[in-house]
Amino acid sequence: CFLFTLKIQTITIDTLKIFNHLLLLRRDADYGDFEEINQDEAKVALDMAKKFIDTVEPLRKKILKDIKG
């Protein structure tokens, strides 16, 4: 996984926790029992996803720039 190849100070622990939580939600939605999610829970997950993307997008761009040289 690319996250493990990055310097530890590049991505905060909080950002990794968000990623882990969202990944668990995805797994439960795909493979778990039929669980209903209400609008408030969906909004929280969406807000977390936006925060994660906002945090890692600049890093993704930097990595691609560095790879291209």
Side-chain angles (χ1 to χ4, degrees), residues 1 4 6 10-11 19 41 46 51-52 64 68-69:
C1 179
F4 296 111
L6 302 174
T10 303
I11 296 178
F19 178 78
E41 293 169 323
L46 182 60
K51 181 177 179 182
F52 178 80
L64 290 176
K68 292 178 182 178

PDB file of all heavy atoms in Angstrom, residues 1 4 6 10-11 19 41 46 51-52 64 68-69:
ATOM      1  N   CYS A   1       0.841  -1.179   0.000  1.00  0.00           N
ATOM      2  CA  CYS A   1       0.000   0.000   0.000  1.00  0.00           C
ATOM      3  C   CYS A   1       0.891   1.249   0.000  1.00  0.00           C
ATOM      4  O   CYS A   1       1.891   1.294   0.713  1.00  0.00           O
ATOM      5  CB  CYS A   1      -0.900  -0.029   1.224  1.00  0.00           C
ATOM      6  SG  CYS A   1      -1.981   1.399   1.338  1.00  0.00           S
ATOM      7  N   PHE A   4       2.353   3.225   3.236  1.00  0.00           N
ATOM      8  CA  PHE A   4       3.482   2.774   4.025  1.00  0.00           C
ATOM      9  C   PHE A   4       4.812   3.205   3.433  1.00  0.00           C
ATOM     10  O   PHE A   4       5.827   3.124   4.089  1.00  0.00           O
ATOM     11  CB  PHE A   4       3.442   1.262   4.193  1.00  0.00           C
ATOM     12  CG  PHE A   4       2.248   0.814   4.974  1.00  0.00           C
ATOM     13  CD1 PHE A   4       1.239   0.109   4.366  1.00  0.00           C
ATOM     14  CD2 PHE A   4       2.119   1.131   6.315  1.00  0.00           C
ATOM     15  CE1 PHE A   4       0.128  -0.294   5.072  1.00  0.00           C
ATOM     16  CE2 PHE A   4       1.002   0.734   7.030  1.00  0.00           C
ATOM     17  CZ  PHE A   4       0.010   0.019   6.413  1.00  0.00           C
ATOM     18  N   LEU A   6       5.395   6.277   2.428  1.00  0.00           N
ATOM     19  CA  LEU A   6       5.547   7.697   2.672  1.00  0.00           C
ATOM     20  C   LEU A   6       6.201   7.946   4.021  1.00  0.00           C
ATOM     21  O   LEU A   6       6.131   7.117   4.922  1.00  0.00           O
ATOM     22  CB  LEU A   6       4.177   8.384   2.647  1.00  0.00           C
ATOM     23  CG  LEU A   6       3.394   8.230   1.360  1.00  0.00           C
ATOM     24  CD1 LEU A   6       2.010   8.835   1.525  1.00  0.00           C
ATOM     25  CD2 LEU A   6       4.115   8.876   0.204  1.00  0.00           C
ATOM     26  N   THR A  10       4.280  12.839   6.852  1.00  0.00           N
ATOM     27  CA  THR A  10       3.547  13.346   5.706  1.00  0.00           C
ATOM     28  C   THR A  10       2.034  13.224   5.897  1.00  0.00           C
ATOM     29  O   THR A  10       1.290  14.129   5.572  1.00  0.00           O
ATOM     30  CB  THR A  10       3.967  12.589   4.431  1.00  0.00           C
ATOM     31  OG1 THR A  10       5.370  12.723   4.276  1.00  0.00           O
ATOM     32  CG2 THR A  10       3.285  13.155   3.214  1.00  0.00           C
ATOM     33  N   ILE A  11       1.585  12.113   6.412  1.00  0.00           N
ATOM     34  CA  ILE A  11       0.160  11.881   6.654  1.00  0.00           C
ATOM     35  C   ILE A  11      -0.038  11.709   8.152  1.00  0.00           C
ATOM     36  O   ILE A  11       0.610  10.881   8.774  1.00  0.00           O
ATOM     37  CB  ILE A  11      -0.338  10.630   5.907  1.00  0.00           C
ATOM     38  CG1 ILE A  11      -0.222  10.831   4.409  1.00  0.00           C
ATOM     39  CG2 ILE A  11      -1.784  10.321   6.277  1.00  0.00           C
ATOM     40  CD1 ILE A  11      -0.642   9.641   3.591  1.00  0.00           C
ATOM     41  N   PHE A  19      -9.187   7.309   7.045  1.00  0.00           N
ATOM     42  CA  PHE A  19      -9.109   6.333   5.959  1.00  0.00           C
ATOM     43  C   PHE A  19      -9.544   4.952   6.444  1.00  0.00           C
ATOM     44  O   PHE A  19     -10.335   4.272   5.788  1.00  0.00           O
ATOM     45  CB  PHE A  19      -7.687   6.283   5.404  1.00  0.00           C
ATOM     46  CG  PHE A  19      -7.511   5.276   4.312  1.00  0.00           C
ATOM     47  CD1 PHE A  19      -7.953   5.552   3.027  1.00  0.00           C
ATOM     48  CD2 PHE A  19      -6.905   4.062   4.561  1.00  0.00           C
ATOM     49  CE1 PHE A  19      -7.794   4.627   2.010  1.00  0.00           C
ATOM     50  CE2 PHE A  19      -6.747   3.130   3.561  1.00  0.00           C
ATOM     51  CZ  PHE A  19      -7.195   3.412   2.274  1.00  0.00           C
ATOM     52  N   GLU A  41     -25.775   9.611   9.518  1.00  0.00           N
ATOM     53  CA  GLU A  41     -24.581   8.774   9.419  1.00  0.00           C
ATOM     54  C   GLU A  41     -23.925   8.916   8.049  1.00  0.00           C
ATOM     55  O   GLU A  41     -22.690   8.966   7.947  1.00  0.00           O
ATOM     56  CB  GLU A  41     -24.929   7.310   9.677  1.00  0.00           C
ATOM     57  CG  GLU A  41     -25.361   7.027  11.096  1.00  0.00           C
ATOM     58  CD  GLU A  41     -25.955   5.644  11.273  1.00  0.00           C
ATOM     59  OE1 GLU A  41     -26.664   5.168  10.365  1.00  0.00           O
ATOM     60  OE2 GLU A  41     -25.684   5.042  12.316  1.00  0.00           O
ATOM     61  N   LEU A  46     -19.647  11.178   4.548  1.00  0.00           N
ATOM     62  CA  LEU A  46     -19.321  12.037   3.415  1.00  0.00           C
ATOM     63  C   LEU A  46     -18.378  13.156   3.838  1.00  0.00           C
ATOM     64  O   LEU A  46     -17.401  13.451   3.137  1.00  0.00           O
ATOM     65  CB  LEU A  46     -20.599  12.615   2.808  1.00  0.00           C
ATOM     66  CG  LEU A  46     -20.427  13.506   1.592  1.00  0.00           C
ATOM     67  CD1 LEU A  46     -19.759  12.753   0.449  1.00  0.00           C
ATOM     68  CD2 LEU A  46     -21.770  14.047   1.147  1.00  0.00           C
ATOM     69  N   LYS A  51     -12.870  15.420   3.887  1.00  0.00           N
ATOM     70  CA  LYS A  51     -11.697  15.836   4.655  1.00  0.00           C
ATOM     71  C   LYS A  51     -10.479  15.015   4.249  1.00  0.00           C
ATOM     72  O   LYS A  51      -9.380  15.556   4.070  1.00  0.00           O
ATOM     73  CB  LYS A  51     -11.965  15.681   6.155  1.00  0.00           C
ATOM     74  CG  LYS A  51     -10.816  16.121   7.025  1.00  0.00           C
ATOM     75  CD  LYS A  51     -11.163  16.012   8.494  1.00  0.00           C
ATOM     76  CE  LYS A  51      -9.974  16.436   9.341  1.00  0.00           C
ATOM     77  NZ  LYS A  51     -10.252  16.311  10.767  1.00  0.00           N
ATOM     78  N   PHE A  52     -10.664  13.722   4.078  1.00  0.00           N
ATOM     79  CA  PHE A  52      -9.559  12.861   3.672  1.00  0.00           C
ATOM     80  C   PHE A  52      -9.035  13.271   2.299  1.00  0.00           C
ATOM     81  O   PHE A  52      -7.829  13.420   2.104  1.00  0.00           O
ATOM     82  CB  PHE A  52     -10.008  11.389   3.656  1.00  0.00           C
ATOM     83  CG  PHE A  52      -8.929  10.459   3.205  1.00  0.00           C
ATOM     84  CD1 PHE A  52      -7.933  10.068   4.078  1.00  0.00           C
ATOM     85  CD2 PHE A  52      -8.890   9.994   1.900  1.00  0.00           C
ATOM     86  CE1 PHE A  52      -6.918   9.220   3.663  1.00  0.00           C
ATOM     87  CE2 PHE A  52      -7.893   9.151   1.478  1.00  0.00           C
ATOM     88  CZ  PHE A  52      -6.899   8.762   2.362  1.00  0.00           C
ATOM     89  N   LEU A  64       3.088  12.488  -7.730  1.00  0.00           N
ATOM     90  CA  LEU A  64       3.096  12.344  -9.185  1.00  0.00           C
ATOM     91  C   LEU A  64       4.109  13.272  -9.836  1.00  0.00           C
ATOM     92  O   LEU A  64       4.799  12.880 -10.785  1.00  0.00           O
ATOM     93  CB  LEU A  64       1.702  12.608  -9.747  1.00  0.00           C
ATOM     94  CG  LEU A  64       0.660  11.540  -9.435  1.00  0.00           C
ATOM     95  CD1 LEU A  64      -0.711  11.967  -9.959  1.00  0.00           C
ATOM     96  CD2 LEU A  64       1.060  10.200 -10.014  1.00  0.00           C
ATOM     97  N   LYS A  68       7.428  11.984 -12.017  1.00  0.00           N
ATOM     98  CA  LYS A  68       7.662  12.429 -13.396  1.00  0.00           C
ATOM     99  C   LYS A  68       8.983  13.165 -13.523  1.00  0.00           C
ATOM    100  O   LYS A  68       9.515  13.279 -14.624  1.00  0.00           O
ATOM    101  CB  LYS A  68       6.508  13.311 -13.872  1.00  0.00           C
ATOM    102  CG  LYS A  68       5.221  12.540 -14.036  1.00  0.00           C
ATOM    103  CD  LYS A  68       4.079  13.445 -14.461  1.00  0.00           C
ATOM    104  CE  LYS A  68       2.798  12.651 -14.573  1.00  0.00           C
ATOM    105  NZ  LYS A  68       1.662  13.501 -14.932  1.00  0.00           N
ATOM    106  N   GLY A  69       9.485  13.671 -12.398  1.00  0.00           N
ATOM    107  CA  GLY A  69      10.769  14.358 -12.412  1.00  0.00           C
ATOM    108  C   GLY A  69      10.651  15.735 -12.758  1.00  0.00           C
ATOM    109  O   GLY A  69      10.957  16.614 -13.265  1.00  0.00           O
TER     110      GLY A  69
END
